[in-house]
Every structure is written in structure tokens, then in C-alpha cells.
Amino acid sequence: MLRRLLPTLCALVLGLAGLGWGLWQLQRIFATEREDARASLRSRREALEQYARVSLSQAVREKLEAARPALELAAADPLAPAQGLYLRERGEQLLPRLALHDSGQDTPARDRYTRLRAGTEVADEEDGPWVERLALMRAVERALDRRDGRAATEALVAFLHHRSRYVLTSTRDVPGHLVVLETLAERGNVVPQLMQSLVREGLDESQGGRLDGLQRLLLLKRSRFTRADFDFLRERVVALSTRTGTPVMDFEARTAELAAAPLPLPASLPGPSLVRSGWYLEPRGEGHARGVAVDPGALLESLSREMRERGLLGPEGHVRLRGTEEVLPLATLRLDVETPEWAREENAMEQRYQLKTGMVVLCAGLALTIAALAFLGQQRKSRFLELKSDFVATVSHELRTPLASIRLLAETLEWRLAQGVESRDYPARIIHEADGLGFLVENLLSFNRIDKGRWVPHLSLVRLEELVATLRRDLEGWARVPVELTSEVGERELLADPQLLRLLLANLARNACAYNTRNPVRLRVEALPDGRVRFSDNGVGIPEAEWERIFGEFYRLRGQGREVPGSGLGLALCQRIMRLHGGTLRVAASSPEGTTFELTFPERR
């Protein structure tokens, strides 16, 4: 067959090669057009992204520059607001301010304050500055007790001068200063401006030094106190500030702003960077950085609005940060400029490309289909000739065998009758061979009528038990080996053509007997729910890979199939009979112990 198909195959290959080369060149032109359009759109996008990157970088830098005075003031003055400001020096966060309280559980500052107020504080003689400080505090108290204003002022000046000269521990200095100012507020008649300065920001001395006020001092020395001491002193300072008319709102705000832990910001920065958590940071050497709080979403929305006003974006265009990194260096900041107009342009461009590609593919598919149909037509023609030849040879062989047997039996019968020899079984054997010949002819005629659509089934209610009984009688007539047929069908009735069902069961039974090496042959018919009927045998079985192919026309199993006579139409006819009834036939199970076929009939209405 290959020799007959070779010229057609060569012509088809050459034609397809020429057409394929032309379609490939056309597709290259379409792809080049698409890439050029994409490059143009990409260049526009990159230009706008560059503009957005520069604008965003300039905006955050200007925001930090505008916050520089507030940043410097907050770094120097603990009472200055530091919200939205960031400062790190030597690897430690200064702004936003941290609580940094002593982790101890004792309250030395409160205990000393209590003793100072009660007059029970006793200083160690070896601690000279504290002894002097206590003496000056008592001098202020005695002058106030005597109501000697001049002496009280001199004692206060001496006390303040001593504070500027000697630095004592905060747990001594702050409670002592607080007690002195509370005593002045309770008993003295001091100048309000002086008292407010001592309570709040402090005094500048002529030598260039500075005496911090209580509010500043407590915030500056907060790390020297435990949390309990700090809360106690804060309450006393607030009470003193209220009593003396000193502003206290910013002091309370600064204490409320004290954070328990540093901000989770990167320790090292590659350069000016935008942090997604809401900060813009600029490094200032190793371990130094400053920054300002920003809202990336608001900045991008403002930038998108500005670009829309300039006509760079459509009404629904917007700018977004690209990627998922937490730290975004300005030098490599990546932005996405998105607008529905571009998406529509891309979709239109892609649709045009897909349409052109689809046309190319369609042309190629049509060409391949035509070539395949031509090749298949030629192949089917050759195959038809081969099948015709094989079918004629097979049927001739199948017809010749029973005819030869009938002739031989008839001649033998004639000779025996002439010789007067007993020949009782010869007529039965002639009838058996004639039945086999008739069954083959009936299969051929039935297959042809069903295949051509010329068999109209005459449906009626048929009791399955009657079909099994008919099959049992047929087996007794033509089976050459003992056959045991059992059934479990009950009163099941089928809406079917009785003649076709009898032919179907006969083909299944003949195959079961032909492909069987056991004695006796055991067959079983079983009715199941949902219109299913199972036909089982104890034959040699069917390999699973052949379960679908055995229902093909003229297909016979290899191995045993070559040794068993037949036309290869039995199972193909059975399947067509089931399809004619609107049902199915399949191999439900098969093994060397036997095969089970399952017939499924449609539900009766």
C-alpha cells in the first residue's frame, strides 16, 4: 500500500512545504509590526515613568528640607514636637523619642523625694557635693520660713549656681530641684516668669552654660529613671506646672509620644530611600540618618492628579509603586504608570495580531486538512481494496469450510448407506455444519443491514428469561463441548427487538465457546438495576489494551484469534445492535479466569 501512496505523499509534502514557507514569512511580517507597536508604547511608558520618578523624588526631598528646622529643633529641645520626624545617630534612634527607662523595679527617686519633703534625707559625709546641695536646699527653706525674701533669693541663686557647677545623679538632682521649686511655689513670692522658666525650659547663664528646667530635665534624663519613678516625677511636674501657670500641654504630649521600641526601619541604607511603612530617609554617614514621615499613597495620588492636569495621563490614569520591596532607593525607584487607554491600545494591537495569526493558522490548518483528507482518501481507497480482498478471502474460507464438511459428510453418508453401514449421527452433523453456515450468513446480512441503516427494530417487551431459554436450546444444538448456562434474571423485561437480542446473545455465547480451553464452558447471564445485563464466561480472557479494539470491524485477537475460525464481525455486530436500541456494550472485567460483558439498556418510560 505504501508504494501506491508514495507519489501522492511526495506531491502533498512539496505543496505543504511551499505553502508553509509563504505563511511563515507572512507571520514574521505580522510579528515585526506588533513588536514595533509595542516598542513605541513601551518608550512612551518609560518616559512617563521617568518623569514620575523624578517628580516623586523631588517631592520627598522638598518635604524633608521643609522639615529640617523642626528636625533640628526637636533634636536640641526635648519639648519640641517630633511627630513625623526621624533622626538616628551612632546607630541609636533619637527621633521619634524612646522611653529608654531603667529596667529596675526600685523607686529611688520617689523615695528620695519623700525623704526630702519630710526633711529626713541624710547625706554621707564623703559625698561632698550632695551634702552641700542639701545645705543649700535647707537654706532656701529657712529663708522662706523667716519670710526673708532677700535671703530666700540669695539662697536660691546659690542653689542654682551649685547645680550649674556640680553634676549629681539624676535620682538626686531632679527630686531635689523639684522639692525646692514646690517649696517656693507653696511659701515664696517669686516672679512668675522666673518660676515658669525654672519649671519649663530653664535659664541661660552668663558663662554660656544652661540650667534646664524641670520639664526639659525630666525628658532629657528619662533613661536614668525606672518607669515608676518617671511616672511619679511626671505627675509632680505636671501638678507644679499647673500651680505656677506654666504651659504643660506640650510636656504631656512629649511624654505620651515616648515609644517603647525603635521603629522597624533598616539599619543601613544604600542612599536616599522611600520606606513603604511611611518614611523617607537620607543616610548621613555610618550609623547616621534623618527622615520625615510621608504617605506614599497620598504622594502617588497627588502625582497622578498633577500628570492628569498636564495631559500626560488619561482621566483614569494613575501611578503606582512597583515590586514588593520594603526599602525603595530613589536611585533605582521603579514606578508603574497605568492608564486604561494604554490597556485598550495594547488589547486592540493584540487582537489585530491574533486575528492575523488566526488567519495564518486557519490557512495552514485548511491546507493541512485538505492534504490530510486527500491522503486519507487515497489511503482509505487503498485500505478499502485491501479490506475487500481480505473480507472476500475470509468469507470464502469461512463458507468453504462448512460447505466442504457438508459435502464430505453427505458423500460418506451416501457410501455408508450403499454399504449398509450404520450412519445415524451423520445427518445431525450435516445439520450442525449447515447451522454454522447459516449463522455466518445471518451475521453478514444483519451487519450489512444495520450498517446501512436499513434495519428498523420492532420493539416489544421481551422477558429476559425467555431469551436465555432460547439461547440454552441453541447451545444444545451447535455446541461441541459441554456448556453450563446459568441465569439470574428474575422477571426482568426489556423493550427490544427479540430477533436482534437473540442474535446478540448467540454471538457472545459462540465467542465464549470458541475462545475457551476449559471443559465444561460456563456461561452466566445476570440482570442488574438501572437496565444493565451482564454476560460472563470462563474463557481465556481479553487483554485490557484490547478492550476497545475488539469491537472493530474484522478485528480479531492475536494469538488465540488466529486459531479460531470466524469473520471478526461478531462483537462489532453486537455493539451495533446495542446502539440501535440506544444502549451500550462494554467489557466490564476480564482476566485469565474469564470475561464479563455489560449491556446497558435505556430506561423504560
Side-chain angles (χ1 to χ4, degrees):
M1 184 175 67
L2 182 60
R3 190 178 307 164
R4 298 195 195 112
L5 296 176
L6 189 58
T8 303
L9 184 61
C10 291
L12 290 175
V13 169
L14 291 176
L16 289 176
L19 181 61
W21 183 85
L23 292 177
W24 178 67
Q25 293 295 330
L26 186 60
Q27 181 63 22
R28 285 186 59 188
I29 295 174
F30 294 156
T32 302
E33 291 178 353
R34 182 182 66 166
E35 290 304 319
D36 292 343
R38 281 183 174 177
S40 175
L41 196 60
R42 187 164 51 247
S43 63
R44 290 169 53 193
R45 186 190 298 272
E46 291 175 354
L48 286 183
E49 289 176 355
Q50 177 66 19
Y51 174 84
R53 182 164 52 251
V54 172
S55 298
L56 183 62
S57 300
Q58 183 178 355
V60 294
R61 287 194 176 100
E62 289 177 353
K63 189 174 182 65
L64 179 58
E65 190 64 26
R68 186 192 302 274
L71 186 65
E72 294 176 351
L73 178 61
D77 186 0
L79 291 174
Q83 189 173 7
L85 303 175
Y86 182 81
L87 181 63
R88 183 174 65 220
E89 294 184 356
R90 299 182 183 87
E92 295 185 2
Q93 176 181 310
L94 302 183
L95 298 177
R97 300 181 182 93
L98 300 174
L100 301 175
H101 297 307
D102 191 339
S103 59
Q105 300 297 323
D106 297 334
T107 56
R110 182 170 59 183
D111 296 342
R112 180 163 282 107
Y113 171 86
T114 304
R115 293 195 299 269
L116 289 173
R117 291 290 292 180
T120 59
E121 174 69 12
V122 179
D124 190 353
E125 293 296 335
E126 296 179 358
D127 193 356
W130 179 236
V131 174
E132 296 174 0
R133 183 72 59 84
L134 284 176
L136 293 173
M137 292 171 59
R138 288 168 183 160
V140 173
E141 292 179 1
R142 287 194 298 270
L144 291 174
D145 290 339
R146 295 195 308 269
R147 299 182 180 278
D148 187 347
R150 182 176 180 179
T153 302
E154 291 177 353
L156 178 60
V157 171
F159 173 79
L160 297 175
H161 183 65
H162 190 275
R163 284 195 65 236
S164 66
R165 289 183 58 194
Y166 296 100
V167 178
L168 301 181
T169 59
S170 299
T171 55
R172 291 178 176 178
D173 183 41
V174 176
H177 192 34
L178 176 60
V179 168
V180 170
L181 295 184
E182 286 181 342
T183 304
L184 285 173
E186 294 168 359
R187 306 180 192 177
N189 186 17
V190 296
V191 180
Q193 292 81 0
L194 176 62
M195 177 60 76
Q196 291 176 3
S197 297
L198 293 174
V199 173
R200 183 172 169 80
E201 65 271 2
L203 298 174
D204 290 327
E205 292 192 333
S206 58
Q207 289 82 3
R210 181 179 181 83
L211 285 175
D212 292 316
L214 269 178
Q215 293 181 5
R216 287 174 53 89
L217 186 62
L218 184 58
L219 290 174
L220 287 173
K221 304 298 183 181
R222 61 187 180 277
S223 62
R224 304 293 191 271
F225 302 103
T226 63
R227 181 59 185 264
D229 271 349
F230 181 82
D231 291 341
F232 171 77
L233 294 175
R234 179 183 58 80
E235 294 175 0
R236 301 307 307 166
V237 171
V238 170
L240 178 61
S241 301
T242 303
R243 183 168 187 171
T244 58
T246 304
V248 74
M249 291 183 61
D250 52 353
F251 171 71
E252 291 187 303
R254 300 298 85 78
T255 56
E257 292 171 2
L258 295 177
L263 293 175
L265 296 178
S268 61
L269 298 170
S273 303
L274 187 66
V275 183
R276 286 186 184 270
S277 58
W279 291 92
Y280 169 65
L281 304 178
E282 286 186 357
R284 294 288 178 176
E286 186 67 26
H288 296 257
R290 64 180 183 179
V292 63
V294 295
D295 185 353
L299 289 175
L300 293 174
E301 181 59 32
S302 175
L303 179 58
S304 300
R305 186 167 53 252
E306 175 194 348
M307 295 178 68
R308 287 195 292 267
E309 292 173 355
R310 291 175 176 266
L312 300 176
L313 287 179
E316 300 178 4
H318 54 270
V319 182
R320 291 181 178 175
L321 287 174
R322 189 187 305 173
T324 58
E325 301 86 354
E326 180 65 19
V327 180
L328 306 170
L330 294 188
T332 58
L333 186 64
R334 297 181 299 168
L335 298 177
D336 275 334
V337 179
E338 300 178 0
T339 178
E341 288 79 2
W342 290 358
R344 285 192 287 269
E345 289 183 20
E346 288 182 352
N347 289 336
M349 176 185 62
E350 193 64 28
Q351 288 177 0
R352 290 193 298 270
Y353 176 75
Q354 290 178 358
L355 179 60
K356 296 175 182 178
T357 302
M359 293 176 62
V360 172
V361 173
L362 181 60
C363 291
L366 287 175
L368 290 174
T369 302
I370 294 172
L373 289 176
F375 182 76
L376 287 176
Q378 189 67 21
Q379 184 185 28
R380 285 177 65 86
K381 181 179 178 181
S382 301
R383 180 61 179 165
F384 174 74
L385 295 176
E386 289 186 0
L387 287 177
K388 181 179 178 181
S389 176
D390 293 343
F391 176 72
V392 170
T394 301
V395 171
S396 299
H397 175 75
E398 295 298 326
L399 292 174
R400 187 185 298 119
T401 300
L403 287 174
S405 298
I406 291 173
R407 180 178 179 84
L408 177 62
L409 290 171
E411 291 176 351
T412 305
L413 177 61
E414 182 183 13
W415 177 81
R416 283 181 174 255
L417 290 175
Q419 298 293 327
V421 182
E422 180 67 27
S423 55
R424 189 178 309 169
D425 62 332
Y426 277 81
R429 293 170 62 181
I430 293 173
I431 294 173
H432 181 274
E433 294 294 337
D435 287 342
L437 180 61
F439 185 78
L440 175 61
V441 173
E442 184 180 5
N443 267 2
L444 292 174
L445 294 176
S446 300
F447 183 86
N448 183 63
R449 289 180 61 190
I450 294 175
D451 194 50
K452 299 298 183 181
R454 290 182 291 190
W455 190 308
V456 179
H458 300 283
L459 302 180
S460 62
L461 286 178
V462 183
R463 293 185 66 245
L464 190 55
E465 181 60 39
E466 293 180 359
L467 292 176
V468 174
T470 302
L471 178 62
R472 186 177 286 109
R473 289 194 299 271
D474 292 343
L475 289 172
E476 293 174 356
W478 54 258
R480 297 187 177 183
V481 294
V483 179
E484 295 180 2
L485 174 60
T486 60
S487 64
E488 188 175 340
V489 297
E491 299 297 326
R492 173 66 62 85
E493 291 183 341
L494 301 175
L495 184 62
D497 188 319
Q499 183 179 353
L500 290 179
L501 284 193
R502 178 182 177 184
L503 186 61
L504 184 149
L505 293 177
N507 272 286
L508 292 178
R510 284 177 180 266
N511 276 354
C513 294
Y515 291 90
N516 206 313
T517 58
R518 294 180 174 87
N519 191 355
V521 174
R522 289 189 174 88
L523 305 179
R524 175 179 175 83
V525 180
E526 180 183 7
L528 302 177
D530 304 327
R532 292 178 297 156
V533 177
R534 285 192 172 178
F535 187 97
S536 305
D537 62 54
N538 62 341
V540 296
I542 303 171
E544 187 173 356
E546 306 286 341
W547 285 8
E548 296 294 334
R549 284 182 278 186
I550 59 174
F551 296 104
E553 304 170 13
F554 311 114
Y555 185 82
R556 305 177 68 190
L557 288 176
R558 297 179 180 179
Q560 300 94 335
R562 294 173 182 168
E563 304 169 4
V564 178
S567 62
L569 286 178
L571 290 180
L573 177 61
C574 292
Q575 190 177 60
R576 279 167 170 75
I577 291 174
M578 288 304 298
R579 288 177 181 173
L580 197 62
H581 286 83
T584 59
L585 171 65
R586 69 182 185 92
V587 179
S590 185
S591 69
E593 301 301 321
T595 301
T596 299
F597 291 91
E598 184 175 277
L599 296 77
T600 303
F601 291 87
E603 182 181 357
R604 286 170 49 191
R605 298 185 181 277

